[in-house]
Amino acid sequence: LAAQNTEYGVEIAFSSSDPAWFTLHLNGDISEHGFPYRLFLGNTEISNNVLMVWDQLYTQNDDNASITKDVSVLVESSSLVENAPQGLYKDTVTVLIVPLDTM
């Protein structure tokens, strides 16, 4: 059970299907043409497959907690995008969340 007015935290990592960096690939196939994108959790840029601490999480009651933060994607216009073959570009991002003891 969570205790009210107690700070909690998690380690969180976002991993692209491309192990090197966040990349959108033609048809989601990492062997096809791709171009990089940047991923943000709130205002913090996320590195691919790197654990980061998300703290200052507090519960509203003893039963559960609902904490949200925006995740956004930035694709910068470049010759890689402009000259990319036409088609559907996608990536699968896996999120790993490891609870920490109270802070």
Side-chain angles (χ1 to χ4, degrees):
L1 288 178
Q4 280 185 285
N5 301 319
T6 300
E7 181 182 1
Y8 293 91
V10 296
E11 284 187 302
I12 188 168
F14 296 78
S15 301
S16 172
S17 57
D18 186 327
W21 49 76
F22 294 110
T23 307
L24 295 169
H25 286 280
L26 183 61
N27 300 316
D29 182 343
I30 65 171
S31 67
E32 295 288 338
H33 182 82
F35 51 88
Y37 66 91
R38 295 167 59 195
L39 192 63
F40 294 85
L41 178 64
N43 294 325
T44 303
E45 186 165 4
I46 299 165
S47 296
N48 188 29
N49 203 27
V50 174
L51 282 168
M52 55 191 271
V53 173
W54 182 9
D55 56 4
Q56 298 182 357
L57 307 175
Y58 295 90
T59 62
Q60 282 65 49
N61 60 56
D62 291 340
D63 295 329
N64 59 43
S66 177
I67 311 292
T68 61
K69 194 174 258 194
D70 292 333
V71 174
S72 57
V73 173
L74 174 64
V75 177
E76 296 177 0
S77 180
S78 70
S79 61
L80 290 174
V81 175
E82 293 166 3
N83 298 321
Q86 188 173 9
L88 176 66
Y89 285 78
K90 62 183 179 177
D91 186 20
T92 299
V93 176
T94 302
V95 180
L96 172 68
I97 301 172
V98 179
L100 300 173
D101 290 334
T102 57
M103 303 298 287

